[in-house]
Amino acid sequence: FQPKIRLGILASGNGSNFEYIIKSIKNKQLNAEISILIVNNPNCLAINKAIKYDIPYVIINHRNCNSRLEHDILVKKKLEELSVELVVMAGWMRIVGDEIINRFNNRLINIHPSLLPSFKGVDAIQQAIDKRVKITGCSVHYVQKEVDSGSIIIQAAVPLEEQDSKETLRKRIQDMEHIILPIAIAKVAKKIRTSFMGNK
């Protein structure tokens, strides 16, 4: 019997990946509990999902911070306060700095809507359309200092159809994100647990 891994979720958007993590926990696919949802945007729709599923959340608005570092420190403190073991960036629209990366080394993961290392950074879906690739997809990876560069945990491929608009492609990529993110969390959680056992 393994104790549940304590997750901290960082989100900026509508929280669809956040909701799928909750569903994976509810249907016992994922042995985890969500300690906190942290959002950086008071209008973030992920908040509604936190309320719906009764998950604690906090708004740490980056606009109220004087610097990226100040915001990172506030986020880090909150995660530490709740003894979060694994941090999941699920549509977190901010670049995190050394403060968080070093504190949660190999325990900080992100989901990105492309087959990395292709189409890093913002608007990866549009980048794929512009390049007229035949296949794109999504990747869950460890977060490193350089954006979207950490080692890859899991990927899913999504074909780009002739008639695809950005929206139809985004929808299919998101459907795959919802499948692979819980799998990635389980894989990393297992690693964390194993190394923790080794440190005892």
Side-chain angles (χ1 to χ4, degrees):
F1 170 75
Q2 289 279 21
K4 293 180 171 182
I5 194 125
R6 290 188 297 280
L7 304 178
I9 312 290
L10 309 184
S12 309
N14 60 18
S16 73
N17 276 312
F18 169 52
E19 185 163 29
Y20 270 82
I21 296 168
I22 299 168
K23 287 178 175 172
S24 303
I25 292 170
K26 284 191 181 301
N27 68 23
K28 306 270 191 286
Q29 184 195 343
L30 202 49
N31 185 29
E33 60 185 350
I34 299 173
S35 302
I36 190 80
L37 166 73
I38 298 178
V39 302
N40 63 308
N41 160 16
N43 306 319
C44 168
L45 295 174
I47 294 170
N48 303 347
K49 297 188 169 76
I51 294 167
K52 176 180 167 186
Y53 293 103
D54 203 22
I55 286 169
Y57 72 92
V58 60
I59 300 164
I60 304 178
N61 190 340
H62 62 277
R63 292 192 177 84
N64 300 338
C65 296
N66 296 319
S67 66
R68 194 180 285 281
L69 177 63
E70 186 187 329
H71 188 257
D72 276 3
I73 289 171
L74 290 173
V75 170
K76 183 185 83 165
K77 277 190 173 147
K78 193 71 200 170
L79 294 166
E80 286 176 340
E81 212 175 280
L82 295 162
S83 308
V84 164
E85 296 169 280
L86 172 55
V87 184
V88 182
M89 292 163 63
W92 181 249
M93 300 303 174
R94 288 182 62 71
I95 293 170
V96 293
D98 289 348
E99 199 64 38
I100 293 176
I101 291 171
N102 296 341
R103 177 65 183 82
F104 292 97
N105 184 32
N106 288 331
R107 296 188 295 133
L108 174 64
I109 66 175
N110 179 47
I111 185 139
H112 182 75
S114 80
L115 288 177
L116 291 171
S118 298
F119 312 129
K120 294 180 180 182
V122 292
D123 219 350
I125 294 174
Q126 189 61 52
Q127 289 183 55
I129 290 171
D130 293 345
K131 283 279 185 282
R132 310 187 81 92
V133 293
K134 298 297 176 217
I135 295 175
T136 183
C138 46
S139 312
V140 183
H141 63 95
Y142 288 104
V143 177
Q144 294 293 335
K145 182 129 178 65
E146 195 191 316
V147 174
D148 299 329
S149 70
S151 60
I152 289 163
I153 301 156
I154 188 170
Q155 290 181 308
V158 175
L160 188 56
E161 311 289 356
E162 281 290 325
Q163 68 281 8
D164 262 330
S165 68
K166 190 173 172 182
E167 279 320 304
T168 58
L169 181 58
R170 181 193 307 281
K171 172 81 184 76
R172 292 211 315 285
I173 289 177
Q174 268 189 338
D175 289 345
M176 291 313 293
E177 288 181 356
H178 298 157
I179 294 168
I180 68 169
L181 186 55
I183 297 171
I185 292 170
K187 281 179 81 162
V188 177
K190 193 174 169 191
K191 263 193 168 160
I192 292 170
R193 284 281 179 255
T194 318
S195 68
F196 179 71
M197 292 303 180
N199 291 338
K200 278 204 162 173

